[in-house]
């Protein structure tokens, strides 16, 4: 009898501890990527029920986005439609999300989770949204899918989080020219950016191998420039050169672009469109050969690399055309930046073109490098007149930077350092640390990639802030971006495989302060987060994450 009583009381005690949600939580339940500035683990947990309310004192279109997003996550596995209500009082059992203008960082937030309620504070709606992304990572993975899970307990472990980003620019790029990716994939890519508190999507929309955006005034750009007759098989430079014989292409209509831009806005992601010039323009020239130096004839490129034919810098028609194109682009993309490429522009046609040479003479330019600078500066004047800012790859330094241009440093960091010294804004995107088309482990047995060796650990190790800059110059380093070039990435599955988890390392570098970064800790959190990535259906790389070559040195 005594024994039975003893067991009964132990069982009751255990039931009590579990049911009151007051005990310590499993360490693993606090896994957040990117790591918050400060996270204090506490006892107990908040449990969502069908009666939970999401309360906002300031209910605006923007703050509602954050609240609705949380409601949609809860609805996925439960079917509950939590009410989003306007009130100044955080009632018991609710999620209370308020704005606090005294907070200094526009994107920062605080998150207090207790068994009684969740309190979120942020200076602006985006901070509330990032708090929701943190709550998302603290909730069970079942919230990721719209599939009812009977008996699921939706709980968030108690904690106190104070968080804000290190950099204002946290970006990822996707090349949809070398291979074309559908709207659904682009939207999911944006989702994954938002989940990791990244705020910019750089959409590489035009290149030699395909023009991917409908331009109403020049329909042939998409109709002709959007398609190539076939594609190189294997690696560039492989012999014999063979092609797949498959007509390939696609483009986004302006309606689709508007839809993606609106989607990104709802996830607090800004899209920077890239319209390449003066080089990487063969698809446009295939459609409108009169814009070249020679007059053509051209085909949309079927191989990779750099081609000699570029826009003619001597013809005013080129600038009229580009201004018309950009006028349509500007209407579609409300963000402040337009990216105009500027990289890898061979000068061989300009050297022989009478019109380009005349332009050099008339404008008093020294050489073709200065002609490129003239080209970019002329376009920049147009963009500024439309209230936009120009971004270009670091080649736009050659021949002199356009007056207010922002530079993306991709050929290492020297271009970025030079631009910052010239007091220009810079985004660090050096190939040797953040080009996610590089191999991520020893190439043997891997799908064909462009080359390189860039394991997760090496990506994680990169710090975008150059120590050789003064404090004032450092202010021009806006942040970091990872790039996914797709010459050797033909499918969405492979894009996932190359992008993830290396993108998460870039997100942590972009958000988390340098002194809080720790690769072992990141790996431990990633190991827990894998369940979430599985639930989302990401085809992330599952091989060697350590830099084994560095370890051997
Ligand atoms: C680039 O990778 N050509 C910017
Ligand atoms: Zn020319």
């Amino acid at each position: 009898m005594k024994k039975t009583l003893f067991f009964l009381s132990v069982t009751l005690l255990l039931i009590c501890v579990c049911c009151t949600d007051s005990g310590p939580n499993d360490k693993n339940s606090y896994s957040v990527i990117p790591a918050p500035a400060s996270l204090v683990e506490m006892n107990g947990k908040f449990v969502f029920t069908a009666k939970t309310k999401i309360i906002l004192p300031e209910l605006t279109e923007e703050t509602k986005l954050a609240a609705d997003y949380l409601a949609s996550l809860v609805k996925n596995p439960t079917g509950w439609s939590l009410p989003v209500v306007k009130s100044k009082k955080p009632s018991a059992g609710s999620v209370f999300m308020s704005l606090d203008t005294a907070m200094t960082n526009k994107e920062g937030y605080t998150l207090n989770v207790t068994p009684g309620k969740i309190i979120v504070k942020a200076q602006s709606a985006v901070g509330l949204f990032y708090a929701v992304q943190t709550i998302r990572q603290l909730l069970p993975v079942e919230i990721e899918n719209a599939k009812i899970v009977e008996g699921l307990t939706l709980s968030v472990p108690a904690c106190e989080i104070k968080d804000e980003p290190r950099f204002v620019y946290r970006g990822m790029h996707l090349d949809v020219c070398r291979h074309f990716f559908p709207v659904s994939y682009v939207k999911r890519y944006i989702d994954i950016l938002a989940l990791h508190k990244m705020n910019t999507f750089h959409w590489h929309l035009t290149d030699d191998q395909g023009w991917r955006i409908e331009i109403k005034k020049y329909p042939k750009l998409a109709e002709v420039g959007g398609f190539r007759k076939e594609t190189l098989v294997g690696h560039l430079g492989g012999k014999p050169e063979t092609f797949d014989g498959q007509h390939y292409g696609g483009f986004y209509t302006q309606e689709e672009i508007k839809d993606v831009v609106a989607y990104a806005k709802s996830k607090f992601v800004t899209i920077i469109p890239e319209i390449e010039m003066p080089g990487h323009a063969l698809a446009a020239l295939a459609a409108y050969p009169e814009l070249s130096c020679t007059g053509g004839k051209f085909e949309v490129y079927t191989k990779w690399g750099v081609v000699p034919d570029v826009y003619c810098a001597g013809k005013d028609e080129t600038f009229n055309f580009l201004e018309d194109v950009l006028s349509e682009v500007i209407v579609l993309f409300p963000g402040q930046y337009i990216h105009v490429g500027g990289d890898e522009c061979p000068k061989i046609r300009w050297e022989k073109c009478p019109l380009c040479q005349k332009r050099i003479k008339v404008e008093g330019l020294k050489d073709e490098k200065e002609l490129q600078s003239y080209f970019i500066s002329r376009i920049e004047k147009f963009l500024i007149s439309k209230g936009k800012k120009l971004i270009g790859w670091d080649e736009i330094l050659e021949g002199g930077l356009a007056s207010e241009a922002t530079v993306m440093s991709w050929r290492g960091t020297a271009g970025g350092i030079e631009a910052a010294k010239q007091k220009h804004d810079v985004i660090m995107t050096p190939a040797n640390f953040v080009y996610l088309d590089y191999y991520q482990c020893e190439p043997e047995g891997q799908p064909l990639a462009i080359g390189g060796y860039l394991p997760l650990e090496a990506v994680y190790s990169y710090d975008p802030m150059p120590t050789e800059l003064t404090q004032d110059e450092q202010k021009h380093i806006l942040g970091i971006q990872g790039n996914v070039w797709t010459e050797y990435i033909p499918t969405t599955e492979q894009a996932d495989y190359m992008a993830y988890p290396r993108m998460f390392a870039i997100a942590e570098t972009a958000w988390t302060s340098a002194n809080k970064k720790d690769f072992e800790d990141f790996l431990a959190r990633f190991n827990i987060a894998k369940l979430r990535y599985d639930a989302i259906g990401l085809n992330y790389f599952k091989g060697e994450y350590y830099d084994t070559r560095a370890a051997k040195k």
Side-chain angles (χ1 to χ4, degrees):
M1 188 67 182
K2 257 191 178 164
K3 239 182 184 174
T4 322
L5 255 181
F6 173 76
F7 276 118
L8 206 61
S9 42
V10 167
T11 314
L12 270 175
L13 190 72
L14 276 174
I15 288 171
C16 279
V17 167
C18 297
C19 288
T20 55
D21 297 321
S22 57
N25 294 294
D26 180 348
K27 281 240 169 275
N28 289 352
S29 59
Y30 292 101
S31 161
V32 179
I33 299 174
S38 112
L39 188 163
V40 180
E41 299 170 13
M42 298 192 310
N43 287 349
K45 44 177 74 92
F46 177 88
V47 181
F48 280 89
T49 71
K51 294 213 176 77
T52 305
K53 283 185 198 151
I54 303 175
I55 304 175
L56 294 90
E58 300 91 358
L59 192 56
T60 65
E61 205 178 305
E62 279 212 305
T63 59
K64 195 166 177 310
L65 283 173
D68 284 348
Y69 192 61
L70 178 59
S72 73
L73 292 173
V74 172
K75 185 168 187 174
N76 272 343
T78 62
W80 303 333
S81 293
L82 301 190
V84 172
V85 295
K86 182 170 173 164
S87 167
K88 291 207 164 10
K89 285 201 199 90
S91 58
S94 66
V95 180
F96 186 74
M97 304 171 83
S98 66
L99 297 181
D100 179 353
T101 47
M103 289 172 74
T104 49
N105 193 295
K106 184 174 170 277
E107 297 178 300
Y109 65 92
T110 61
L111 171 62
N112 271 284
V113 180
T114 59
K117 54 178 92 77
I118 294 181
I119 307 266
V120 177
K121 274 190 200 155
Q123 193 224 69
S124 70
V126 60
L128 298 182
F129 181 76
Y130 288 148
V132 169
Q133 293 299 342
T134 297
I135 296 170
R136 177 182 178 185
Q137 294 191 35
L138 298 173
L139 277 163
V141 299
E142 285 82 356
I143 56 155
E144 299 295 342
N145 292 302
K147 188 168 152 244
I148 304 293
V149 183
E150 299 295 343
L152 177 72
T153 305
L154 275 191
S155 67
V156 183
C159 56
E160 206 173 293
I161 293 177
K162 290 190 178 70
D163 202 8
E164 63 180 43
R166 178 180 179 201
F167 290 106
V168 293
Y169 187 105
R170 306 178 301 279
M172 279 299 301
H173 147 290
L174 182 66
D175 167 13
V176 295
C177 301
R178 277 50 179 266
H179 285 98
F180 181 65
F181 295 88
V183 163
S184 57
Y185 188 75
V186 172
K187 285 185 175 175
R188 201 195 59 178
Y189 197 74
I190 289 167
D191 270 341
I192 304 304
L193 295 191
L195 171 58
H196 298 91
K197 304 186 177 80
M198 295 183 108
N199 59 8
T200 310
F201 171 49
H202 171 174
W203 206 356
H204 184 78
L205 285 165
T206 74
D207 215 306
D208 299 311
Q209 296 81 2
W211 182 284
R212 306 279 176 232
I213 172 171
E214 177 193 24
I215 299 295
K216 304 266 192 204
K217 189 158 182 183
Y218 300 96
K220 285 194 287 179
L221 282 172
E223 286 162 13
V224 174
F227 297 87
R228 59 181 180 253
K229 106 180 155 210
E230 58 188 359
T231 303
L232 181 75
V233 174
H235 208 283
L236 181 69
K239 294 277 183 286
E241 210 169 55
T242 56
F243 295 85
D244 65 5
Q246 303 286 313
H247 187 247
Y248 181 91
F251 61 89
Y252 308 105
T253 64
Q254 292 202 354
E255 285 311 305
E256 287 174 321
I257 300 258
K258 281 183 210 161
D259 178 42
V260 173
V261 169
Y263 186 81
K265 186 168 178 242
S266 77
K267 301 279 185 281
F268 295 87
V269 169
T270 302
I271 303 185
I272 298 180
E274 183 181 359
I275 306 295
E276 276 263 23
M277 63 190 78
H280 285 295
L282 196 62
L285 298 182
Y288 297 98
E290 62 274 22
L291 301 174
S292 69
C293 291
T294 65
K297 184 174 185 215
F298 307 112
E299 281 184 342
V300 178
Y301 207 42
T302 56
K303 300 196 275 183
W304 318 126
V306 172
V307 301
D309 289 289
V310 303
Y311 289 117
C312 177
K315 294 178 180 169
D316 282 337
E317 292 88 323
T318 299
F319 294 97
N320 296 340
F321 163 84
L322 287 170
E323 289 180 8
D324 287 345
V325 167
L326 290 172
S327 294
E328 292 192 30
V329 169
I330 284 165
V331 172
L332 292 168
F333 294 93
Q336 60 175 336
Y337 290 114
I338 302 288
H339 200 306
V340 300
D343 59 318
E344 300 180 315
C345 178
K347 309 297 188 293
I348 162 170
R349 295 290 185 257
W350 291 358
E351 283 161 9
K352 305 233 159 54
C353 170
L355 291 176
C356 285
Q357 290 306 310
K358 185 173 163 208
R359 178 85 72 196
I360 289 178
K361 224 165 145 192
V362 170
E363 296 293 335
L365 307 171
K366 205 166 73 202
D367 55 16
E368 287 73 20
K369 280 188 177 167
E370 288 199 359
L371 183 57
Q372 154 132 349
S373 168
Y374 165 86
F375 197 115
I376 300 291
S377 296
R378 186 162 163 176
I379 293 293
E380 186 195 39
K381 275 198 198 87
F382 173 76
L383 289 176
I384 289 174
S385 79
K386 300 285 179 192
K388 297 287 182 181
K389 288 184 176 173
L390 177 145
I391 299 191
W393 300 108
D394 58 55
E395 285 92 332
I396 66 169
L397 278 151
E398 293 165 8
L401 268 179
S403 65
E404 294 169 35
T406 297
V407 172
M408 272 191 184
S409 191
W410 74 278
R411 296 174 300 173
T413 57
I417 292 167
E418 176 53 33
K421 286 190 169 157
Q422 293 184 30
K423 304 198 178 345
H424 282 253
D425 285 346
V426 171
I427 293 141
M428 284 300 194
T429 181
N432 49 336
F433 284 108
V434 292
Y435 266 37
L436 305 190
D437 54 338
Y438 283 20
Y439 284 106
Q440 54 199 317
C441 61
E442 292 300 341
E444 203 182 17
Q446 287 298 299
L448 183 69
I450 198 159
Y453 171 75
L454 189 51
L456 182 66
E457 185 179 14
V459 175
Y460 193 85
S461 74
Y462 176 58
D463 189 320
M465 190 56 81
T467 48
E468 49 270 74
L469 294 179
T470 64
Q471 262 190 355
D472 259 7
E473 290 163 349
Q474 286 191 342
K475 289 188 188 129
H476 288 289
I477 306 294
L478 302 185
I480 176 173
Q481 174 176 292
N483 294 345
V484 179
W485 298 102
T486 60
E487 288 93 332
Y488 301 98
I489 303 182
T491 64
T492 55
E493 290 76 18
Q494 206 176 332
D496 270 16
Y497 182 83
M498 299 305 279
Y500 314 125
R502 291 184 292 182
M503 179 207 280
F504 313 149
I506 293 168
E508 185 142 310
T509 299
W511 181 275
T512 307
S513 60
N515 63 6
K516 274 220 69 143
K517 278 181 68 189
D518 175 335
F519 185 61
E520 290 304 327
D521 184 62
F522 171 78
L523 263 191
R525 280 177 284 121
F526 169 59
N527 266 319
I528 295 154
K530 277 175 180 170
L531 281 177
R532 188 169 309 276
Y533 301 134
D534 287 337
I536 296 170
L538 296 190
N539 181 37
Y540 57 88
F541 170 74
K542 300 179 177 75
E544 179 60 74
Y545 297 126
Y546 286 99
D547 187 342
T548 54
R549 289 192 191 174
K552 277 188 202 136
K553 273 184 201 159

